[in-house]
């Protein structure tokens, strides 16, 4: 049975969900419905993301990303630590100027570019909360894809089930679809958090030395005992504007109570908790970067505990996991968006080659389950080396940093994700 055609539901409308909807439509699905719980559009998500230049070119060539999406060019990653000798560079003591062939993106701008290039037969239903999914033996959503007698369904708060030939879970780290595919699997807390923030880059003029002290093509990584902060510029929501984006890895705050995967969204941190971040920056960072973090408005600051997860399987019947629903990778990898888009590519290739739903889903499961486990393991390795069991930064120099970095990447697919189509090693 040819799997091209049929009806497909995508649970979750962010980047992973949009990528899978696009792939399904390009492969000839007769009906693609994206079910997104947020009632509004998602452009205001201001998180910065980075994509390796080669991975970006591959995804553009494969039709998974529009080539004209706005992006910011990075060329070097400047590793530094606080200079305790007195005086010196207010940006800290340089440890290593690492080549970094990446572009940075605004999450919302990238998502909007995907939406604008979406085929016309993809239906978005905003404000739809999927409460459960499952498989049954009643065929697909329109009768054309259910030749082996299997189908899938989604249910919302009303309890009414809507049938489809395939249900794709692109619903993130608290995935409802993952509960149905592998209910025994839960995200594991890594033991530390990241504070995140962004603001208009025009405010850099308020710093001693201004914006000129920080070259525009530079990603700064400032290391301290127990964590690090990564800072880089990204495009703003408005064309021609630029934002500063930072990720501050830190020990778990004493007040944080975790009863499952969660985050504290922008604007929800009270004054005392925001002051804790300012105190941490002042205590651990070189003066320039501490002052930069302090420029971030409270409404643009949030807290994200770090988790990881590798689902033991990605499919069950006519259910499929994608993106963070299938594997949660620590941000150190700089591969989250690449992972989701490569998942969509593998799904599209499996549908193109498969002669049945079972064959196509099995091929996707084999390739991307292995890839997900490799990325999760690399994220854990990077987390241990850079946060949990980091070296004494005061003793590090460029040769030591190069050797330390190469050791982290040994046996992996590489920083920023493996090349498209390369099979994983684990």
């Amino acid at each position: 049975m040819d799997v091209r055609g049929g009806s497909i539901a995508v649970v979750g409308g962010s980047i992973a969900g949009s990528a899978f909807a696009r792939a399904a439509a390009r492969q000839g699905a007769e009906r693609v419905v994206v079910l997104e719980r947020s009632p509004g559009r998602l452009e205001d998500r201001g998180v910065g993301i980075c994509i390796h230049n080669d991975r970006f070119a591959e995804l553009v060539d494969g039709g998974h990303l529009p080539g004209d999406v706005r992006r910011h060019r990075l060329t070097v990653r400047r590793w530094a630590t606080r200079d305790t000798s007195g005086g010196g560079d207010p940006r800290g003591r340089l440890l290593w100027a690492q080549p970094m062939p990446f572009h940075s993106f605004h999450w919302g701008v990238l998502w909007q570019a995907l939406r604008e290039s979406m085929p016309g037969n993809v239906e978005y239903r905003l404000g739809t909360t999927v409460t459960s999914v499952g498989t049954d033996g009643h065929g697909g959503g329109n009768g054309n894809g259910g030749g082996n007698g299997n189908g899938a369904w989604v249910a919302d708060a009303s309890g009414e089930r809507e049938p489809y030939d395939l249900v794709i879970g692109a619903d993130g780290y608290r995935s409802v679809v993952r509960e149905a595919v592998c209910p025994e699997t839960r995200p594991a807390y890594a033991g530390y958090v990241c504070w995140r923030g962004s603001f208009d880059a025009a405010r850099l003029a308020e710093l001693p030395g201004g914006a000129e002290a920080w070259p525009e093509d530079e990603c700064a990584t400032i290391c301290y005992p127990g964590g690090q902060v990564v800072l880089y510029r990204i495009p703003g929501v408005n064309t021609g504007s630029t934002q500063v984006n930072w990720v501050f890895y830190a020990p778990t705050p004493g007040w944080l109570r975790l009863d499952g995967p969660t985050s504290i969204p922008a604007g929800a941190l009270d004054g005392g908790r925001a002051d804790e971040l300012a105190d941490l920056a002042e205590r651990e960072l070189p003066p320039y970067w501490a002052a930069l973090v302090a420029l971030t408005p409270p409404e643009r600051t949030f807290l994200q505990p770090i988790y990881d997860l590798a689902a033991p399987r990605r499919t069950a019947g006519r259910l499929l996991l994608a993106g963070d629903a299938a594997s949660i990778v620590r941000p150190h990898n700089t591969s989250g968006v690449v992972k989701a888009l490569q998942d969509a590519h593998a799904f599209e290739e499996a549908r193109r080659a498969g002669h049945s739903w079972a064959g196509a889903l099995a091929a996707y499961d084999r390739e991307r389950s292995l890839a997900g486990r490799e990325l999760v393991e690399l994220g854990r390795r990077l987390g241990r080396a850079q946060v949990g069991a980091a070296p004494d930064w005061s003793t590090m120099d460029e040769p030591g940093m190069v050797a330390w970095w190469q050791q982290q990447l040994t046996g992996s697919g590489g920083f920023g994700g493996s090349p498209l189509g390369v099979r994983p090693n684990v």
Side-chain angles (χ1 to χ4, degrees):
M1 179 197 60
D2 191 341
V3 300
R4 286 167 292 187
S7 62
I8 295 177
V10 182
V11 183
S14 62
I15 287 177
S18 295
F20 270 77
R22 181 185 175 96
R26 294 201 317 175
Q27 278 297 297
E30 295 172 17
R31 182 170 173 247
V32 181
V33 179
V34 179
L35 306 168
E36 167 56 44
R37 65 184 177 186
S38 174
R41 297 174 71 83
L42 307 178
E43 297 98 320
D44 61 345
R45 296 188 182 181
V47 174
I49 52 179
C50 294
I51 300 178
H52 192 286
N53 293 351
D54 292 344
R55 305 293 80 76
F56 179 75
E58 293 165 353
L59 291 165
V60 170
D61 288 346
H64 301 289
L65 277 177
D68 59 352
V69 60
R70 287 190 290 119
R71 53 196 184 273
H72 184 89
R73 178 173 175 263
L74 301 172
T75 65
V76 64
R77 185 178 189 180
R78 184 182 188 273
W79 296 77
T81 191
R82 187 164 188 159
D83 188 348
T84 58
S85 64
D89 189 339
R91 300 197 309 150
R93 181 175 69 87
L94 178 64
L95 300 174
W96 181 27
Q98 177 190 21
M100 188 174 183
F102 281 71
H103 278 89
S104 63
F105 300 79
H106 186 294
W107 191 100
V109 172
L110 185 60
W111 175 83
Q112 180 63 33
L114 285 171
R115 280 296 308 270
E116 290 175 351
S117 61
M118 193 66 63
N121 63 330
V122 176
E123 174 189 354
Y124 273 76
R125 296 184 191 169
L126 301 179
T128 301
T129 299
V130 173
T131 57
S132 60
V133 302
T135 60
D136 57 33
H138 301 302
N142 60 15
N144 295 330
N148 61 3
N150 294 318
W153 52 265
V154 301
D156 60 17
S158 71
E160 183 177 352
R161 296 183 177 184
E162 185 173 5
Y164 292 90
D165 290 304
L166 177 69
V167 172
I168 296 171
D171 48 343
Y173 63 97
R174 292 180 289 189
S175 172
V176 171
V177 182
R178 187 176 62 241
E179 283 289 323
V181 173
C182 42
E184 74 283 5
T185 303
R186 295 287 187 275
Y189 181 50
Y192 57 97
V193 304
C194 67
W195 302 80
R196 305 191 73 148
S198 62
F199 59 88
D200 191 327
R203 295 202 64 189
L204 291 173
E206 302 173 30
L207 298 176
E212 293 76 16
W214 181 23
E216 292 198 359
D217 64 342
E218 177 184 285
C219 169
T221 300
I222 312 303
C223 305
Y224 71 94
Q228 61 180 210
V229 59
V230 182
L231 313 97
Y232 52 91
R233 292 172 174 88
I234 61 174
V237 173
N238 299 319
T239 301
S241 65
T242 303
Q243 292 184 1
V244 171
N245 179 84
W246 54 262
V247 184
F248 201 146
Y249 297 98
T252 307
W255 48 262
L256 183 63
R257 298 292 180 265
L258 296 172
D259 55 1
T262 187
S263 62
I264 299 178
L269 291 163
D270 62 31
R273 292 170 181 175
D275 290 345
E276 181 176 327
L277 172 62
D279 291 343
L280 178 66
E282 183 70 24
R283 183 173 65 251
E284 302 290 0
L285 302 184
Y288 183 88
W289 305 112
L292 183 151
V293 171
L295 289 175
T296 313
E299 65 272 15
R300 300 295 302 171
T301 305
F302 67 97
L303 181 70
Q304 176 186 354
I306 302 298
Y307 292 87
D308 45 34
L309 172 145
R313 55 192 173 277
R314 290 191 171 217
T315 62
R318 294 289 186 82
L319 304 176
L320 177 150
L321 299 178
D324 286 350
S327 59
I328 302 172
V329 179
R330 302 186 195 185
H332 309 287
N333 291 40
T334 316
S335 62
V337 168
V338 169
K339 168 176 64 78
L341 295 171
Q342 289 186 345
D343 282 354
H345 175 81
F347 168 70
E348 188 170 349
E349 291 296 295
R351 289 195 79 205
R352 182 179 292 118
H355 299 294
S356 68
W357 282 105
L361 295 180
Y364 170 81
D365 195 351
R366 282 193 302 271
E367 177 171 342
R368 296 310 292 171
S369 291
L370 288 172
R373 286 195 289 272
E374 181 182 71
L375 286 170
V376 169
E377 177 51 39
L378 176 58
R380 289 171 176 161
R381 193 183 311 163
L382 292 171
R384 287 191 295 269
Q386 299 180 33
V387 179
D392 180 353
W393 301 111
S394 68
T395 68
M396 297 292 278
D397 55 14
E398 181 171 334
M401 290 291 294
V402 172
W404 168 81
W405 180 258
Q406 291 174 343
Q407 184 178 25
Q408 294 174 63
L409 298 185
T410 299
S412 77
F415 181 62
S418 299
L420 193 64
V422 172
R423 296 298 182 263
N425 298 317
V426 295

